[in-house]
């Protein structure tokens, strides 16, 4: 029995025709646990390159943590799961989380709850 292996490199390419762009982004934030989960979904048909910030607020409204989101791609029909953990652990409780993201197609915002 002979086995032959041939290495190859591929490149994925997609095209969106001008005038048919449907930019969209959905951000789901919150949950339970030590780290803060953020799910970014792109139901549109264009590549979204997003950057921005995630801010965590106490029940009293005081900002207790802030994270930056460096530019990252979210492919059409795809999703990215991000996890954030504060440098210093926060006390147990429920926190309000706000996500503000920017892309070449506009600004997106989402809000949720995070229980530690």
């Amino acid at each position: 029995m002979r086995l032959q292996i041939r290495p190859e490199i591929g490149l994925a390419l997609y095209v969106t025709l001008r005038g048919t762009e449907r930019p969209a982004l959905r951000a789901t934030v919150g949950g339970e646990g030590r780290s803060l989960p953020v799910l970014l979904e792109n139901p549109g048909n264009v590549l979204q390159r997003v950057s921005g910030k995630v801010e965590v607020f106490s029940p009293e409204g005081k900002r207790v943590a802030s994270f930056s989101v460096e530019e990252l791609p979210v492919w059409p029909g795809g999703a990215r799961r991000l996890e954030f953990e504060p440098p210093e652990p926060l006390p147990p409780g429920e926190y309000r989380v706000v996500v503000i993201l920017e892309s070449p197609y506009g600004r997106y915002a989402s809000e949720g709850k995070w229980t530690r």
Side-chain angles (χ1 to χ4, degrees):
M1 175 188 239
R2 283 181 39 174
L3 179 64
Q4 185 177 10
I5 298 174
R6 185 174 73 197
E8 293 183 5
I9 296 176
L11 174 66
L13 178 68
Y14 74 95
V15 176
T16 303
L17 299 175
R18 186 180 304 253
T20 64
E21 301 97 338
R22 285 179 291 125
L25 186 72
R26 190 171 32 237
T28 306
V29 60
E32 291 185 22
R34 293 186 60 145
S35 60
L36 169 63
V38 175
L39 178 65
L40 303 178
E41 298 175 282
N42 182 352
N45 69 347
V46 294
L47 173 67
Q48 290 276 13
R49 291 190 179 278
V50 298
S51 60
K53 61 184 174 180
V54 177
E55 299 201 343
V56 181
F57 297 92
S58 70
E60 296 80 32
K62 180 183 174 193
R63 184 173 55 200
V64 294
S66 184
F67 308 99
S68 66
V69 178
E70 300 301 322
E71 185 176 289
L72 60 95
V74 184
W75 291 92
R80 298 285 297 257
R81 183 176 172 83
L82 309 173
E83 300 247 350
F84 299 97
E85 193 163 331
E88 295 183 20
L90 298 174
E94 188 172 86
Y95 297 89
R96 184 172 68 96
V97 181
V98 176
V99 178
I100 300 171
L101 300 171
E102 293 189 37
S103 82
Y105 297 100
R107 202 170 212 194
Y108 301 92
S110 185
E111 188 173 325
K113 298 282 185 197
W114 177 34
T115 305
R116 277 198 44 88

